[in-house]
Amino acid sequence: MTKDLRVNSDRMLASFNKLALIGARAAGGVNRPTFSEAHLAARKWFREEIERSGLEFRIDGAGNHSAVLTSERSNVPTLLLGSHLDSVPDGGRFDGALGVIAALEVLRTVKESGIKLNVNLEAIDFTDEEGTLVGLLGSAAIAGHLHPEMLKSPRGGRDNLVEGMQRAGLTDESMLSAVRPKDSFAGYLELHIEQGKRLERAGIHIGIVSAIVGIWSYRLSFIGRADHAGSTTMDDRLDASLGASAFTLAAREMVIKEFPNCVVNVGKMDFAPGAFNIVPARVDVSLEFRSPDEEEFKRLDAALLLLANTEATRFGLELKYENLGKHSPSIMSNNVQQAYAEACDDLGLTHTSLTSGAGHDGQSLADLCPVGMIFVPSVNGTSHSPKEFTKWEDCVNGANVLLQAALRLATE
Ligand SMILES: [Zn+2]
């Protein structure tokens, strides 16, 4: 019976532990930034593991590494399962790695079972999810969202990108050639650690992601007047720091009270002229906010700009602002969420719906095919740290939900 099929926990653990040795750090985590020696070594090991499993290995122009289990039917689309083998500097062993190992284990399990598939199954390790160089690079490439300008001025620096691509045997041209036809995608499923405390606090096995939040960012400039910080009386100053500070505190209050599904962050303030003895003439504020819902985004956007204006006026300042990006939320497929929920119910696992505050490769594919993610609990919510940990039992639960949901979608 298909519904009784389970992943091989011991085999999956052996693979997970071997992978965790590649780029391992004394503190316990791994250091595998995109195209570093350790990252390339992890990918080499992944290729060998795929070949040892008797699965077909594929690599594309963006460096994405895949195991493929083809359907006996010809001209059918592919259901992708996956995550990423790159890490942030001194990251954890679970972020990305768990999703790749679980996807590989699902393919090994399905291959052994001999179950007939209506679609191809592919376990994929996406290039540069973490954004050492570009961010969501491999998934953007296959989705056709990668544009030459993104490679010309990447966030990690053009020189680092070129050097890394050379090490991996890739070029701008190969990256851009990795795009796949839209009708080749049957869907994309990903298992990931939560990287937060919600599941652990609630004592729930599986989080089914309803949306990956969007991110909007601005540079707000509060503009006052430079004056002597000693001889100018307090009531005679146009102090730009007051507007910036009052805005930061008020924005926090407002989001907590009126936008409980959203978060706001002031990550940087630049003071000009920036000296002990000069009243600040200008403060540039790096503002970012995230929401899982497009309509809510628009309301929050308007409310934050109004608030910035109010606080500027209160201190006699001028306000200027520049939008630096509007990335929409990605809505997960209802059909995939349903498949995950049914799989949890069959496996006797508790589940809840939640949003992802972090970005993931599914965002690249959400407008092309049905996409769905599940989370398993992170101990203490810790992630992007060597202390990142998820109990093995939870990892296996996640892999079994991934397996069962994939089978529902691949055999329906
Ligand atoms: Zn990740």
Side-chain angles (χ1 to χ4, degrees):
M1 270 290 287
T2 308
K3 279 191 176 179
D4 297 328
L5 200 62
R6 299 288 180 269
V7 298
N8 181 331
S9 166
D10 292 341
R11 180 172 60 189
M12 182 171 137
L13 181 61
S15 295
F16 183 86
N17 284 340
K18 275 188 209 131
L19 173 61
L21 293 175
I22 305 174
R25 304 286 278 191
V30 296
N31 191 47
R32 291 198 298 253
T34 305
F35 299 149
S36 62
E37 291 306 323
H39 179 231
L40 296 177
R43 294 190 125 179
K44 182 170 177 285
W45 170 84
F46 183 51
R47 175 183 190 150
E48 290 161 2
E49 192 76 346
I50 290 167
E51 287 166 347
R52 272 192 291 274
S53 307
L55 293 159
E56 185 187 333
F57 170 77
R58 285 188 202 167
I59 179 168
D60 67 15
N64 296 311
H65 281 46
S66 299
V68 183
L69 187 60
T70 45
S71 166
E72 286 174 6
R73 298 190 184 189
S74 50
N75 294 320
V76 292
T78 299
L79 180 62
L80 292 160
L81 317 177
S83 199
H84 56 97
L85 293 182
D86 67 316
S87 80
V88 295
D90 285 323
R93 289 179 292 145
F94 293 82
D95 182 353
L98 173 62
V100 173
I101 293 298
L104 173 65
E105 181 54 32
V106 166
L107 262 65
R108 291 193 288 217
T109 305
V110 174
K111 180 181 161 65
E112 272 176 356
S113 75
I115 289 170
K116 299 267 178 287
L117 300 167
N118 294 338
V119 295
N120 306 313
L121 276 187
E122 176 172 341
I124 189 163
D125 154 34
F126 282 119
T127 297
D128 190 40
E129 192 273 351
E130 294 288 5
T132 306
L133 300 170
V134 177
L136 309 183
L137 176 55
S139 55
I142 67 165
H145 297 321
L146 187 64
H147 301 293
E149 332 51 285
M150 293 159 71
L151 298 172
K152 287 285 171 294
S153 54
R155 64 186 239 169
R158 174 70 187 167
D159 291 350
N160 291 331
L161 175 64
V162 170
E163 214 178 283
M165 286 195 300
Q166 272 168 5
R167 270 201 298 276
L170 307 170
T171 62
D172 282 15
E173 291 69 37
S174 73
M175 286 280 175
L176 293 163
S177 75
V179 57
R180 299 189 193 184
K182 188 178 175 196
D183 60 6
S184 71
F185 299 106
Y188 174 64
L189 309 188
E190 179 167 349
L191 162 65
H192 204 277
I193 53 167
E194 186 198 342
Q195 308 178 285
K197 297 182 182 178
R198 291 168 295 178
L199 292 174
E200 185 182 58
R201 277 187 179 149
I204 290 174
H205 294 116
I206 302 287
I208 300 175
V209 178
S210 57
I212 301 173
V213 298
I215 305 179
W216 288 21
S217 48
Y218 280 92
R219 183 178 301 113
L220 302 178
S221 301
F222 292 86
I223 300 161
R225 187 181 63 217
D227 272 310
H228 193 294
S231 55
T232 314
T233 59
M234 291 305 283
D235 60 358
D236 208 18
R237 301 178 187 213
L238 297 178
D239 183 341
S241 77
L242 300 177
S245 309
F247 166 76
T248 304
L249 293 170
R252 176 181 189 274
E253 290 289 303
M254 184 183 77
V255 168
I256 290 172
K257 282 198 192 113
E258 297 170 36
F259 297 90
N261 295 320
C262 303
V263 292
V264 61
N265 189 51
V266 170
K268 194 164 177 269
M269 284 190 197
D270 291 312
F271 287 68
F276 283 97
N277 54 3
I278 310 175
V279 175
R282 177 185 179 119
V283 177
D284 290 332
V285 170
S286 299
L287 173 72
E288 179 192 276
F289 46 101
R290 304 186 186 213
S291 167
D293 179 88
E294 195 75 54
E295 285 310 307
E296 198 174 35
F297 241 135
K298 290 177 189 155
R299 287 206 316 275
L300 177 58
D301 179 56
L304 285 169
L305 291 179
L306 179 65
L307 193 63
N309 250 311
T310 305
E311 297 301 343
T313 306
R314 183 177 153 200
F315 296 102
L317 308 170
E318 189 194 339
L319 179 77
K320 286 187 179 162
Y321 59 86
E322 183 190 356
N323 183 278
L324 300 177
K326 290 187 180 184
H327 296 281
S328 297
S330 301
I331 309 305
M332 301 291 100
S333 148
N334 282 329
N335 193 33
V336 178
Q337 291 182 64
Q338 178 79 24
Y340 282 137
E342 287 169 11
C344 288
D345 292 340
D346 283 349
L347 288 156
L349 300 171
T350 52
H351 57 92
T352 186
S353 176
L354 40 68
T355 57
S356 173
H360 294 286
D361 284 308
Q363 285 166 249
S364 301
L365 298 159
D367 59 347
L368 297 180
C369 62
V371 170
M373 290 190 78
I374 44 169
F375 287 158
V376 286
S378 293
V379 171
N380 292 320
T382 307
S383 184
H384 285 187
S385 151
K387 293 202 172 70
E388 186 177 273
F389 187 72
T390 293
K391 289 183 207 140
W392 188 248
E393 187 191 325
D394 288 325
C395 296
V396 174
N397 286 340
N400 278 321
V401 175
L402 186 72
L403 168 70
Q404 285 298 325
L407 285 173
R408 272 175 172 74
L409 298 168
T411 58
E412 71 189 359

